[in-house]
């Protein structure tokens, strides 16, 4: 046996065999668990599996991932599974602790480097007085409470001064974990609210303070010899920071300048930076602060932009998915709940939890009150700022390694962090319900929107790919002085575990600073395209927004925004896109889920856009938009809505509209109508009108449309007699491909013999029978399709009789408008 080392937990002597790294195999009689590499691999696998198990279990309770990671460690440690001596000695023997801790610290090193890269000091500088005072208010009281408790928990025989102990407990209780908070806010759908923005800014400021205090605490803890040593640690840390800012930063700026825009950074530069992280860690460890401090500062000096983006993409999944859980697991393995003995200690535990929580809340409420915020919002803010996570764990681990905290205090503080973060989501959910304005707005459909009023459209975009077509569609919607278009552009971003994705909302966009990550780069492209459109088009107002949430609840964000902004029409892209050979392939199956949920829950009319280009290759300016639009009209409220939208487009001088109405052969009309009525009874249609009434409404609307537009040569109306679904398909297929856009109703709740049998074969029922046919890969003409579903809410049931009149009335004014503006 080669070396011996004293382990920090007790004074037993552990022997290491440097040659026992890899095994010769079980056939040679070796036990793989006696060798360090197979043992480490098994430990890592166990940690990841247990952590993932907790993530899965706690998902319904909306708990952040940190909780699962710490719980995983506690379960594997001496509190649960480790109580069995056999498990502890076999899977986590004392000799393996060194390898495990080293790897966990390497993971921590790179994770904090990433946190530094992602953190934008400019944002902290721009947070404003309110966030700054709230952050400080939320730190001072818990810090004082920690200081007060340190007197009751501090053992007189400890070799460290009271001051160090105060600093450790104070920092541990007063920090806020920014990445964890961001995740919680997104889960609670508060990220775009005022309270969300303030708490994010305050947490960023708090994070910065916490790092400074942590560096201070470590410097004091490591130098129990003389007070001069602490001074040297401070001075050398300041020198290190100065070197990073004045030497390293210009060097990295030079690397960025050397790399042409749009080119990838060379492997050599990336390797150099990753080695720099290690070197920074080594230097700060050598001068007496923790190695993670060096990595964090090194990350901070890397400017936001393509280099930061490349580093994040290369490292993030591996570091935060595999290595970081190791660090939390180590914290859990060191936590022995059994060490908390006696009712007095447990009482202290609960008192610390309660007082620290209350301290942050009270501190925040006082500051919030001075800023004129309601008390309830102040309490919510205080609770949100109680989120604990990484910084707290680092403080506690360093404290334990430096023997500032004994086993009992360490276990107490880990449980405090766990409970404080765990209770936030449920309490905030109950306490803070954003005032839901019961928005009662009438014009939830295009058919009801008056021609001399503003048309409000909500456009949802996943990727920049659909933007040109959507812009051309909006331009074709004919914004005028009498009827301008207000466009809300919503970039839909999936909520992942990454903190980097959260910063999109937080980063102030108008600053002209480079994007922090790919998602934000996309967001910038989308926003720039629409803002460019707004500048070049007349009578158009654009407001860009971002929604970050899991795909399963994304439709809630869209619906609440539509309701808030009193939108009449939502446009959302289809989940498939066109391939080079003209076929259709699915981009992301989750987009389909969003579309289906939106169709079911939307507070206004919805259009799903099957994007096959809409002269989209070239941006046409408003005078030269020339589109051939076709409406396939079968009947029902969705088809009337489709016609209402096309009618608006037809006022545009560059648009030719063909309305093709399919009518059932007269000799079968009566039987068909009874059969359809029976069918629709079975299907429970959206509107409780019988087939004849729907037919009457269709006739009235079509007659009105024809009467108003009889003079216009750009509008062609054709009626086609068909007797069944096969003939309908043949008629649709025979349409020439000279059209640029088909607008069809979804036909929800309508059962017509004209489309009988078509639904049996449809790939995507959410598009309706005809929409699905037009969007399918085997449809010869590759034309963009807009499938429209009209909003049918309580007003339809309340006043059946008014329903046909309102559009009639509104379009009479449209007619006079048409005469005022002759083509």
């Amino acid at each position: 046996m080669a070396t011996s080392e004293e382990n920090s937990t007790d004074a037993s002597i552990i022997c290491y065999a440097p040659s026992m790294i890899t095994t010769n195999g079980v056939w040679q009689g070796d036990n793989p668990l006696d060798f360090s590499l197979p043992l480490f691999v098994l430990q890592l696998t166990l940690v990841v599996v247990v952590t993932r198990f907790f993530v899965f279990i706690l998902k319904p309770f909306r708990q952040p991932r940190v909780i699962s990671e710490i719980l995983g460690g506690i379960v594997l440690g001496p509190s649960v599974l480790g109580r069995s001596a056999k498990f502890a000695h076999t899977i986590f023997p004392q000799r393996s602790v060194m390898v495990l801790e080293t790897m966990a610290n390497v993971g921590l090193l790179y994770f904090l480097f990433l946190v530094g890269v992602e953190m934008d000091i400019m944002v902290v500088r721009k947070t404003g007085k309110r966030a700054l005072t709230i952050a400080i208010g939320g730190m001072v009281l818990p810090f004082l409470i920690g200081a007060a408790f340190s007197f009751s928990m501090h053992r007189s025989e400890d070799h460290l001064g009271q001051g160090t102990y105060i600093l450790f407990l104070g920092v541990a209780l007063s920090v806020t974990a920014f990445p964890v908070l961001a995740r919680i806010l997104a889960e609670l759908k508060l990220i775009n609210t005022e309270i969300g923005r303030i708490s994010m800014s305050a947490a960023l400021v708090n994070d910065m303070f916490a790092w400074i205090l942590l560096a201070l605490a470590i410097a004091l803890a490591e130098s129990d010899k003389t007070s001069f040593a602490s001074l040297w640690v401070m001075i050398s840390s300041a020198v290190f920071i100065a070197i990073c800012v004045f030497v390293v930063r210009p060097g990295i700026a030079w690397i960025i300048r050397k790399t042409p825009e749009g080119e990838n950074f060379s492997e050599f530069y990336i390797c150099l930076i990753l080695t720099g992280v290690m070197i920074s860690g080594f230097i700060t460890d050598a001068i007496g602060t923790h190695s993670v401090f060096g990595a964090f500062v090194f990350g901070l000096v890397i400017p936001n932009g393509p280099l930061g983006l490349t580093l994040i993409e290369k490292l993030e999944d591996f570091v935060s998915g595999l290595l970081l859980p190791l660090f939390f697991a180590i914290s859990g393995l060191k936590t022995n709940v059994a060490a908390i003995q006696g009712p007095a200690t447990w009482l202290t535990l609960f008192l610390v939890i309660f007082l620290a929580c209350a301290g942050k809340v009270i501190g925040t409420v006082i500051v919030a009150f001075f800023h004129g915020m309601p008390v309830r919002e102040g309490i919510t803010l205080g609770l949100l700022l109680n989120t604990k996570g990484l910084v707290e764990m680092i403080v506690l681990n360093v404290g334990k390694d430096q023997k500032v905290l004994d086993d009992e205090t360490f276990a107490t503080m880990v449980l405090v962090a766990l409970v404080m973060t765990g209770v936030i989501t449920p309490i905030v959910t109950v306490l803070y319900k954003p005032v839901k304005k019961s928005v009662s707005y009438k014009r939830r459909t295009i058919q009801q929107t008056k021609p001399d009023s503003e048309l409000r459209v909500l456009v949802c975009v996943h990727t920049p790919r659909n933007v040109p077509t959507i812009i051309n569609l909006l331009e074709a919607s004919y914004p005028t002085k009498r009827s301008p278009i207000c466009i809300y552009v919503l970039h839909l971003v999936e909520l992942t575990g990454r903190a980097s994705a959260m910063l999109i909302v937080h980063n102030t966009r108008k600053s002209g600073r480079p994007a922090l990550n790919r998602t934000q780069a996309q967001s910038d492209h989308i926003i720039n395209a629409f803002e460019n459109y707004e500048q070049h088009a007349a009578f158009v107002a654009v407001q860009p927004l971002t929604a970050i949430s899991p795909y399963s609840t994304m439709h809630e964000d869209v619906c609440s925004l539509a309701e808030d902004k009193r939108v009449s029409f939502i446009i959302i892209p289809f989940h498939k896109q066109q391939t080079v050979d003209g076929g259709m392939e699915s981009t992301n199956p989750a987009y389909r889920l969003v579309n289906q949920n939106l169709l079911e829950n939307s507070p206004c009319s919805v259009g799903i856009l099957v994007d096959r280009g809409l002269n989209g290759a070239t941006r046409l300016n408003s005078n030269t938009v020339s589109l051939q639009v076709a409406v396939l009209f079968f009947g029902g409220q969705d088809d009337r809505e489709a016609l209402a939208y096309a009618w608006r487009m037809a006022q545009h001088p560059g648009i030719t509209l063909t309305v093709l109405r399919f009518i059932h052969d007269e000799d079968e009309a009566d039987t068909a109508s009874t059969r359809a009525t029976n069918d629709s009874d079975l299907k429970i249609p959206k509107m409780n009108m019988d087939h004849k009434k729907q037919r009457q409404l269709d006739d009235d609307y079509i007659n009105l449309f024809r009467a108003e537009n009889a003079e216009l040569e750009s509008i062609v109306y054709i009626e086609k007699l068909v007797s069944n679904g096969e003939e309908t398909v043949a008629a649709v297929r025979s349409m020439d491909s000279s059209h640029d856009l088909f607008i069809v109703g979804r036909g929800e709740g309508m059962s017509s013999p004209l489309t009988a049998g078509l639904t049996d074969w449809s790939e995507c029922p959410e598009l309706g029978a005809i929409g699905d046919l037009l969007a399918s890969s085997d449809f010869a003409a590759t034309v963009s399709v807009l499938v429209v579903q009209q909003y049918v809410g309580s007003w339809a049931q309340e006043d059946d009789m008014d329903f046909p009149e309102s559009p009639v009335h509104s379009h009479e004014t449209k007619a006079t408008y048409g005469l005022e503006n002759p083509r």
Side-chain angles (χ1 to χ4, degrees), residues 718-733:
I718 305 167
E719 288 190 349
K720 210 170 188 89
L721 289 176
V722 286
S723 52
N724 56 30
E726 284 173 29
E727 288 183 20
T728 305
V729 174
V732 172
R733 284 190 188 280

Side-chain angles (χ1 to χ4, degrees), residues 228-287:
F228 278 114
S230 307
L231 189 64
W232 282 118
V233 172
M234 295 291 172
I235 292 169
S236 42
S237 299
V239 171
F240 171 75
I241 292 172
I243 291 172
C244 279
V245 173
F246 298 111
V247 179
V248 178
R249 195 178 171 94
I252 287 170
W254 178 82
I255 289 178
I256 293 171
R257 279 198 304 278
K258 281 270 290 181
T259 308
E261 201 171 330
E263 293 283 314
N264 287 334
F265 290 89
S266 82
E267 288 296 307
F268 173 69
Y269 292 144
I270 298 289
C271 214
L272 202 65
I273 291 169
L274 296 183
T275 313
V277 179
M278 294 286 198
I279 295 168
S280 305
F282 172 77
I283 293 170
T284 45
D285 209 53
I287 60 180

Side-chain angles (χ1 to χ4, degrees), residues 425-617:
T425 313
I427 293 180
V428 172
T429 313
V430 173
L431 186 74
Y432 184 72
K433 291 189 169 57
V435 186
K436 189 76 185 145
K437 302 181 285 292
S438 55
V439 187
S440 57
Y441 65 102
K442 287 277 177 65
R443 304 194 183 98
R444 292 173 182 251
T445 68
I446 298 170
Q447 200 181 343
Q448 286 179 305
T449 307
K450 291 182 178 170
D452 53 356
S453 67
E454 178 182 62
L455 174 67
R456 295 186 172 204
V457 180
L458 172 59
V459 173
C460 302
V461 186
H462 292 286
T463 61
R465 185 184 171 120
N466 309 108
V467 171
T469 300
I470 289 176
I471 288 180
N472 281 322
L473 179 67
L474 292 167
E475 183 48 60
S477 307
Y478 200 41
T480 61
K481 190 174 182 180
R482 284 192 58 185
S483 180
I485 298 184
C486 180
I487 303 160
Y488 298 96
V489 182
L490 187 64
H491 182 203
L492 304 176
V493 180
E494 186 192 8
L495 171 64
T496 57
R498 295 184 171 191
S500 54
M502 317 303 314
L503 287 164
I504 302 175
V505 181
H506 192 269
N507 201 36
T508 39
R509 278 320 314 129
K510 295 289 174 193
S511 59
R513 296 175 67 73
L516 292 171
N517 49 47
R518 175 157 293 159
T519 320
Q520 190 171 356
Q522 284 198 345
S523 220
D524 290 355
H525 283 313
I526 292 166
I527 290 167
N528 292 340
F530 276 98
E531 284 178 348
N532 185 32
Y533 164 58
E534 182 182 23
Q535 284 162 11
H536 292 94
F539 315 119
V540 170
V542 171
Q543 190 180 335
L545 302 144
T546 305
I548 298 187
S549 56
Y551 284 129
S552 54
T553 61
M554 203 172 261
H555 64 282
E556 292 172 17
D557 293 26
V558 179
C559 293
S560 63
L561 182 72
E563 210 157 8
D564 259 7
K565 306 290 185 192
R566 298 171 176 241
V567 169
S568 303
F569 194 46
I570 298 173
I571 298 172
I572 192 160
F574 186 47
H575 69 278
K576 290 185 181 179
Q577 64 185 24
Q578 193 174 17
T579 52
V580 183
D581 59 358
M584 298 294 284
E585 67 172 10
S586 184
T587 36
N588 183 340
Y591 295 174
R592 183 177 186 184
L593 175 72
V594 177
N595 293 0
Q596 287 167 333
N597 287 336
L598 188 61
L599 287 168
E600 278 175 36
N601 302 293
S602 169
C604 60
S605 294
V606 181
I608 293 184
L609 179 65
V610 181
D611 179 4
R612 291 182 174 135
L614 193 61
N615 295 0

Side-chain angles (χ1 to χ4, degrees), residues 597-638:
N597 287 336
L598 188 61
L599 287 168
E600 278 175 36
N601 302 293
S602 169
C604 60
S605 294
V606 181
I608 293 184
L609 179 65
V610 181
D611 179 4
R612 291 182 174 135
L614 193 61
N615 295 0
T618 53
R619 254 300 288 129
L620 304 164
N621 66 45
S622 54
N623 312 328
T624 58
V625 167
S626 62
L627 292 177
Q628 308 269 341
V629 179
V631 173
L632 308 183
F633 193 94
F634 291 86
Q637 73 268 9
D638 292 350

